[in-house]
Amino acid sequence: MASQSTSTPDDFNIFYSLEESNYETSQPYQGLTGLRNLGNTCYMNAVLQCLCSISPLVEYFLSGKYVATLHKENSEVATAFAYLMADMWLGEFECVSPEVFRSVISDLCPAFTKKTQQDAQEFLIYVLNELHEALKKSCKRRCYGNTSTSREDRGTGSETSIITQLFEGQLSYDITCLACHTTTDKNEVFTVLSLPIPSESACSLQDCLECFFQQDTLTWNNQIHCSFCGTKQDAAVKANIGKAPKMVIFHLKRFDYQGSYKRKLGTNIYYPLSNLDLSPYIYPLFRKNPKYNLCAVVNHFGYLDGGHYTAFCKHTFTQNWYSFDDAQVSEIPQSSVQSAAAYLLFYSCKAFSVPTKTHKY
């Protein structure tokens, strides 16, 4: 099997434009390159395959556009990501090694150094945050209502990046004091929405969404401090999407922890491959692109303390679906994309354009 560990800067003489198609002259493994397992790194490989199937992100890195916004003091992850993406999109190799990327990640976050299974969702959020920090730039952005002061609420500030442009959305919470009935609002940005699973046997993604967005009542230790009453009070909380992202990532909360008790929910969740309608959960004023199409899936097979991750990705050239199981890449029928092992779902508000191989400047 042909393989390669890392690319060189010269590989960036090739980049991808989203203007027109040139698939007929592309290399056979372009965007269909496997990733070698370095010892329980299937969680990393599955996430990387999903991210590297998103054409706007591919173009941004392979065109070299990322260099202009790169912060030298924390550029390691973004640079290693760009080099790995070049390896995966040059189309010359069946399989490449993500060793350099993993080494950079491990230096910054020792948890990913261990050769033990890690959570794909946690890894995804970590990578997106690192890429944002490396590529962010200041700009003026409109804030809707009051803002949260949490670390996750970076989006209502003055920093933007290719990550926020593609993946960042905003939740708006209406909080009503049940004593004085005064309603206040709180905003919170997100890159991944973690959805509860309301059934142990079978349900739909819409069931998960309805459970997430249903009104909740905060009592006892969860009471809010009402500034009008001057004391803690019970409250009703209702969430809506104030700003819908171009790419929405759903995390299906299969791992259930209740004190010392933990389990994995094997619920078979039906999710649509196209025309996912999010309009019931978006403020009417912001319902510009309420329908989304599935473009990638991270699957988890096995149990809590072990198991295996794979990915399903829709190829932008062929519009066919492929299974990525570490180094193994194979085409699958559309009917196989519906999986009881689905853990992360990647949806796009519009179809990706087909990347074209052209020459840099």
Side-chain angles (χ1 to χ4, degrees):
M1 179 182 294
S3 64
Q4 182 182 3
S5 59
T6 58
S7 62
T8 66
D10 290 338
D11 290 330
F12 292 97
N13 288 331
I14 296 176
F15 81 107
Y16 296 81
S17 167
L18 298 179
E19 298 298 325
E20 57 186 43
S21 172
N22 192 28
Y23 177 58
E24 292 78 6
T25 60
S26 64
Q27 297 293 325
Y29 305 116
Q30 203 168 61
L32 295 173
T33 303
L35 291 172
R36 184 172 296 135
N37 192 312
L38 304 175
N40 284 320
T41 56
C42 56
Y43 69 93
M44 177 180 71
N45 291 347
V47 168
L48 289 173
Q49 291 289 4
C50 292
L51 291 178
C52 290
S53 71
I54 299 172
S55 291
L57 199 61
V58 172
E59 183 195 14
Y60 181 80
F61 278 95
L62 296 194
S63 66
K65 293 177 182 177
Y66 79 98
V67 176
T69 57
L70 194 61
H71 295 270
K72 292 182 179 180
E73 62 273 13
N74 53 1
S75 62
E76 294 89 350
V77 172
T79 301
F81 183 77
Y83 280 23
L84 179 60
M85 187 176 286
D87 284 345
M88 296 168 68
W89 275 90
L90 283 174
E92 298 177 358
F93 302 93
E94 290 182 354
C95 171
V96 297
S97 173
E99 185 174 358
V100 172
F101 181 81
R102 180 176 182 268
S103 177
V104 169
I105 290 287
S106 298
D107 288 343
L108 296 173
C109 185
F112 298 121
T113 304
K114 302 175 183 178
K115 290 189 175 182
T116 56
Q117 190 66 266
Q118 302 294 324
D119 186 274
Q121 180 245 357
E122 294 177 359
F123 178 77
L124 170 64
I125 291 175
Y126 182 82
V127 170
L128 292 179
N129 281 337
E130 286 297 319
L131 292 177
H132 169 75
E133 290 299 318
L135 302 168
K136 65 186 179 182
K137 57 183 179 180
S138 297
C139 73
K140 292 182 179 180
R141 303 184 66 190
R142 182 178 177 184
C143 297
Y144 300 95
N146 299 325
T147 59
S148 166
T149 57
S150 66
R151 166 70 173 81
E152 290 77 12
D153 196 35
R154 68 179 183 221
T156 53
S158 59
E159 296 172 348
T160 185
S161 68
I162 184 66
I163 302 303
T164 61
Q165 291 165 18
L166 289 177
F167 300 100
E168 188 176 275
Q170 182 172 273
L171 290 174
S172 181
Y173 295 92
D174 292 331
I175 305 171
T176 302
C177 173
L178 295 182
C180 68
H181 301 289
T182 300
T183 298
T184 56
D185 65 292
K186 175 184 177 182
N187 292 336
E188 182 179 88
V189 302
F190 67 89
T191 51
V192 177
L193 277 182
S194 291
L195 303 182
I197 300 175
S199 171
E200 294 188 16
S201 55
C203 66
S204 68
L205 180 60
Q206 287 289 2
D207 293 331
C208 298
L209 286 166
E210 288 176 10
C211 185
F212 179 87
F213 286 104
Q214 70 182 357
Q215 181 172 293
D216 194 14
T217 301
L218 303 181
T219 60
W220 297 95
N221 294 334
N222 295 318
Q223 287 182 322
I224 58 105
H225 183 273
C226 177
S227 57
F228 292 89
C229 296
T231 59
K232 286 188 174 183
Q233 299 287 356
D234 291 350
V237 179
K238 181 73 168 66
N240 286 283
I241 298 175
K243 172 181 172 289
K246 295 177 181 178
M247 293 283 312
V248 60
I249 306 172
F250 296 119
H251 163 229
L252 304 176
K253 297 174 69 174
R254 293 194 178 277
F255 302 138
D256 183 27
Y257 299 93
Q258 296 180 8
S260 59
Y261 176 73
K262 56 183 181 180
R263 61 174 179 163
K264 179 187 175 183
L265 296 174
T267 306
N268 192 356
I269 301 172
Y270 169 79
Y271 45 91
L273 273 60
S274 61
N275 294 319
L276 172 66
D277 189 3
L278 294 183
S279 59
Y281 318 110
I282 303 175
Y283 274 131
L285 182 62
F286 305 112
R287 291 176 185 171
K288 294 181 180 180
N289 298 297
K291 293 189 176 181
Y292 288 73
N293 298 320
L294 187 70
C295 59
V297 181
V298 169
N299 301 298
H300 181 267
F301 300 92
Y303 302 95
L304 276 174
D305 299 323
H308 183 60
Y309 285 99
T310 68
F312 295 155
C313 301
K314 191 173 186 179
H315 195 253
T316 53
F317 284 148
T318 66
Q319 292 297 295
N320 295 328
W321 283 90
Y322 290 83
S323 170
F324 295 84
D325 187 351
D326 290 328
Q328 301 299 315
V329 180
S330 57
E331 185 176 346
I332 59 173
Q334 185 168 288
S335 58
S336 295
V337 178
Q338 183 69 49
S339 168
Y343 183 54
L344 297 172
L345 302 173
F346 293 69
Y347 280 89
S348 171
C349 66
K350 60 181 179 180
F352 293 143
S353 301
V354 179
T356 298
K357 183 167 65 177
T358 62
H359 292 285
K360 185 177 179 180
Y361 316 128

